């Protein structure tokens, strides 16, 4: 049971939830800053380049959040 530290587990869950919330908020802002809607462009118009840009943005923000959490 020495491997299970309740304080570290709680901090990990809190930081994970906070990181996911920040990721969703940043993607919402990214969606508002781009012309049109990303959902329509990707799903209906099959814009592969925009899907790649959106995925790269999500990965970049996730790396930044991860680095901020882990120090």
């Amino acid at each position: 049971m020495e491997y299970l530290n309740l304080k570290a587990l709680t901090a990990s869950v809190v930081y994970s939830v906070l990181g996911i919330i920040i990721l969703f908020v940043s993607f919402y802002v990214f969606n508002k800053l781009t012309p049109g809607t990303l959902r329509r462009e990707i799903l209906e118009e099959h814009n592969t380049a925009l899907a790649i840009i959106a995925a790269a943005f999500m990965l970049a923000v996730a790396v930044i959040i991860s680095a901020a959490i882990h120090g």
Side-chain angles (χ1 to χ4, degrees), residues 26 32 34 44 47 52 56 58 61 63:
S26 63
K32 289 298 180 185
T34 56
E44 295 176 8
N47 191 341
I52 292 170
M58 295 279 284
V61 172
V63 168

Side-chain angles (χ1 to χ4, degrees), residues 25-38:
V25 168
S26 63
F27 190 74
Y28 177 77
V29 170
F30 178 71
N31 191 20
K32 289 298 180 185
L33 292 176
T34 56
T37 60
L38 293 175

